[in-house]
């Protein structure tokens, strides 16, 4: 198992480039199952969750060709329309194949996800939504099975609460359903919009993606297409926080500044300077002490839950007391205990964490519990006095492309040990 050894204390300086969005690439790859023609996706980030999804596509019978960050999927015959437990347990987003498989083949079987380090990850909302499109759902032996031998039919889907992959899953099902589907209380994340753009290139008729109401006119079949995945706003946000925390002077290139507004506002409140240096780049600069700021995670365009852990790492250095409220997942404070081992002063009370800025962190041995928690520990390591060792970095490899190499190029002292 790999670990990172980090020597803190260096401000990050220079330019750092953002990869394609993992959470956009995952549904885009699942969408390839909707046609027998080749779909070519570029800017697919070479991270572990993507490799898992490619294996899953191959398991269903699709052919996958990878050439660097260019991936072509040919899903001609899908003789095994299922996501087995072994895959789903390592990557919950595997449930994204449920909608496209049942829409294309009339049946799909997906292992139930179970809990994970950040909370219960149920798929009841995916299931209810597919039922609205006429799928018959059975649950047994830890699997959800969706059947629609005569095909799906359009319907009204009104989500009880906003779900990102749930919206994506039903969107992929609706494009091949007969008639019109209206998805209410839909997720407005940029990744949903990116998926709709790809599906429309494949011949789907979707309107309203990026708003709370998405309308889909079903079509008989989809065709091949080419598409470039959007920039990873969470990776970009992680680097913005790293720039501010280390009191650096960093340019985050190849990103979409408009996707990072909620974070930029908070960083400015904390005393960092965040500017749009180009149409596709943000600059971050900080000197002196950062100030305490409260954050509450929300669905897009609110403050992303996927940046909460990293922001909390920054708050441990800020002057004053900050309140961090997590509204999306019920158990997403695992990093607090590890940050405490580095000298942070954090009290967790249910869904709220109270962070009293300690002024300084000290290097320690810490363990990563999930993807974004591990990113927060790496950031803490960059500012801690002395040496920090972050164990179990396979979590971070699920979603960040060689983060240690990117950080080292802008001045961080970080190395991977196998
Ligand atoms: N929920 C249900 N039932 C469902 C689905 C969701 O109760 O059927 C609940 C969840 O338990 C959670 C809330 O609804 O409390 C929102 O979950 P959502 O479904 O939106 O999360 P997700 O689609 O499983 C995606 C990202 C996550 C990100 C969340 C929230 C992908 C592949 N994953 O997950 O990303 O945190 O949206 O923005 O897009 C990550 O990249 O580190 C990550 C965890």
């Amino acid at each position: 198992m790999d670990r990172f050894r980090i020597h803190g204390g260096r401000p990050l300086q220079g330019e750092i480039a953002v990869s394609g969005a993992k959470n956009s690439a995952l549904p885009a790859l699942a969408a390839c199952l909707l046609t027998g023609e080749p779909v070519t996706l570029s800017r697919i980030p070479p991270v572990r969750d993507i490799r898992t999804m490619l294996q899953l596509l191959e398991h269903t019978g699709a052919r996958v060709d990878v050439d660097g960050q260019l991936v072509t999927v040919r899903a001609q015959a899908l003789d095994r329309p299922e996501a087995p437990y072994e895959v789903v347990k390592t990557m919950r987003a595997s449930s994204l194949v449920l909608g496209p498989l049942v829409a294309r083949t009339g049946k799909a079987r997906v292992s139930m996800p179970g809990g994970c380090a950040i909370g219960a990850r149920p798929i009841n909302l995916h299931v209810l939504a597919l039922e609205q499109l006429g799928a018959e759902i059975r649950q047994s032996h830890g699997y959800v099975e969706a059947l629609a031998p005569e095909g799906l039919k359009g319907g009204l889907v009104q989500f009880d609460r906003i779900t990102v992959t749930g919206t994506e899953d039903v969107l992929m099902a609706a494009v091949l359903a007969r008639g019109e589907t209206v998805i209410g209380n839909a997720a407005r994340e940029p990744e949903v919009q990116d998926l709709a753009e790809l599906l429309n290139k494949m011949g789907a008729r979707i309107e309203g993606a990026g708003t709370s109401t998405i309308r889909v006119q079903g079509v008989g079949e989809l065709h091949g297409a080419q598409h470039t995945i959007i920039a990873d706003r969470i990776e970009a946000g992680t680097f913005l926080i790293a720039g501010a925390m280390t009191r650096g002077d960093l340019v985050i290139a190849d990103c979409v500044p408009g996707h990072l507004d909620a974070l930029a506002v908070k960083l400015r409140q904390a005393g960092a300077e965040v500017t749009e240096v180009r149409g596709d780049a943000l600059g971050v600069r900080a000197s002196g002490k950062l100030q305490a700021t409260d954050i509450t995670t929300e669905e897009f365009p609110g403050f992303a839950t996927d940046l909460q852990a990293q922001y909390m790492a920054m708050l441990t250095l800020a002057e004053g007391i900050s309140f961090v409220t997590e509204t999306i997942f019920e158990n997403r404070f695992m990093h607090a205990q590890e940050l405490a081992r580095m000298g942070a002063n954090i009290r967790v009370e249910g869904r709220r964490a109270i962070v009293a800025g300690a002024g300084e962190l000290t290097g320690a041995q810490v363990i990563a519990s999930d993807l974004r928690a591990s990113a927060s520990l790496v950031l803490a390591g960059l500012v801690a006095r002395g040496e920090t060792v972050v164990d179990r970095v396979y979590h971070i490899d699920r979603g960040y492309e060689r983060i240690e190499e990117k950080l080292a190029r802008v001045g961080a002292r970080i190395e991977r040990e196998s």
Side-chain angles (χ1 to χ4, degrees):
M1 264 194 271
D2 291 5
R3 46 160 89 173
F4 287 151
R5 199 171 286 278
I6 307 167
H7 289 268
R10 282 224 194 141
L12 301 187
Q13 271 160 349
E15 189 162 316
I16 195 162
V18 173
S19 302
K22 164 186 84 86
N23 288 350
S24 202
L26 289 171
L29 287 165
C32 298
L33 297 174
L34 287 163
T35 174
E37 293 185 16
V39 179
T40 300
L41 301 172
S42 40
R43 207 178 182 192
I44 294 286
V47 299
R48 201 160 59 92
D49 273 6
I50 295 296
R51 285 194 287 278
T52 308
M53 182 56 101
L54 296 177
Q55 282 165 8
L56 177 54
L57 297 184
E58 284 178 331
H59 175 88
T60 64
R63 204 181 114 196
V64 174
D65 290 299
V66 180
D67 177 9
Q69 309 215 350
L70 199 71
V71 174
T72 301
V73 181
R74 290 176 183 81
Q76 252 159 355
L78 297 174
D79 36 31
R80 246 183 322 195
E82 60 160 29
Y85 177 66
E86 291 66 42
V87 181
V88 179
K89 76 173 187 219
T90 64
M91 187 185 66
R92 273 149 187 89
S94 310
S95 49
L96 278 170
V97 300
L98 188 62
L101 284 176
V102 69
R104 173 89 188 286
T105 71
K107 60 176 185 227
R109 219 175 143 253
V110 169
S111 171
M112 311 257 286
C116 74
I118 63 176
R121 304 287 294 273
I123 56 166
N124 58 314
L125 300 174
H126 300 227
V127 164
L128 284 169
L130 290 173
E131 277 178 341
Q132 293 305 307
L133 303 193
E136 189 192 319
I137 308 282
R138 293 184 202 148
Q139 296 190 20
S140 64
H141 304 292
Y143 278 78
V144 172
E145 197 172 15
L147 297 169
E150 308 298 326
L152 297 169
K153 52 181 194 318
L156 175 64
V157 175
Q158 180 66 30
F159 279 112
D160 272 355
R161 70 174 290 177
I162 296 175
T163 158
V164 178
T165 53
T167 301
E168 293 164 347
D169 217 359
V170 73
L171 182 59
M172 289 187 276
V175 292
L176 288 183
R178 285 187 307 281
E180 186 183 57
T181 298
V182 178
I183 308 173
N185 201 22
R188 293 180 289 163
E189 267 63 6
E191 293 76 19
V192 174
Q193 237 176 308
D194 198 31
L195 172 65
E197 206 174 295
L198 163 66
L199 291 168
N200 281 342
K201 285 182 187 166
M202 293 167 71
R205 293 173 57 202
I206 303 168
E207 280 175 12
T211 74
S212 309
T213 307
I214 304 179
R215 283 174 196 279
V216 186
Q217 307 296 331
V219 297
E221 57 179 20
L222 297 184
H223 52 73
Q226 296 190 355
H227 184 70
T228 303
I229 299 298
I230 55 168
D232 196 315
R233 62 194 169 96
I234 305 301
E235 189 198 20
T238 303
F239 294 147
L240 274 178
I241 297 169
M245 250 175 112
T246 61
R247 285 128 169 126
D249 185 356
L250 205 56
V251 170
I252 323 293
D254 302 335
C255 69
V256 182
H259 292 172
L260 289 148
D261 287 345
L263 173 64
V265 165
K266 285 295 165 184
L267 286 172
R268 288 187 194 115
Q269 272 179 23
E273 204 183 302
V274 180
T275 48
E276 194 171 321
V277 292
R278 293 194 297 269
D280 68 347
L282 280 170
V284 61
R285 215 183 325 190
S287 54
K289 275 240 170 253
L290 294 166
Q291 300 303 311
T293 35
D294 298 341
I295 57 162
T296 299
T297 63
E298 279 165 15
E299 293 88 359
F300 189 82
F303 193 99
T305 173
D306 288 345
L307 288 170
Q308 178 258 106
Q310 301 89 313
Y311 201 81
M312 189 190 286
M314 187 189 93
L315 292 177
T316 65
L317 303 173
E319 209 151 63
I321 292 180
S322 310
F323 291 86
V324 174
T325 310
E326 172 60 57
T327 72
I328 308 293
F329 291 107
E330 66 275 19
N331 188 26
R332 209 172 195 181
F333 285 137
M334 303 277 276
H335 43 283
Q337 283 307 315
E338 296 302 302
L339 289 171
R341 303 195 61 251
M342 300 176 72
N345 197 342
I346 304 170
R347 192 163 81 213
V348 175
E349 289 178 351
R351 291 196 167 214
R352 195 170 68 165
I354 304 155
V355 187
E360 184 187 68
L361 295 177
T362 50
Q365 244 184 311
V366 287
I367 287 192
S369 57
D370 76 76
L371 169 54
R372 308 303 172 186
S374 20
S376 84
L377 298 177
V378 168
L379 298 194
L382 296 180
V383 293
R385 188 158 45 83
E387 183 181 90
T388 297
V389 177
V390 183
D391 229 319
R392 299 201 193 152
V393 300
Y394 60 83
H395 284 297
I396 212 166
D397 293 333
R398 283 187 40 214
Y400 291 87
E401 178 188 356
R402 288 269 162 193
I403 193 170
E404 77 282 15
E405 289 177 13
K406 288 195 184 188
L407 291 172
R409 279 201 289 274
V410 289
R413 279 187 295 173
I414 173 170
E415 40 192 72
R416 180 184 292 260
E417 287 177 357
S418 291

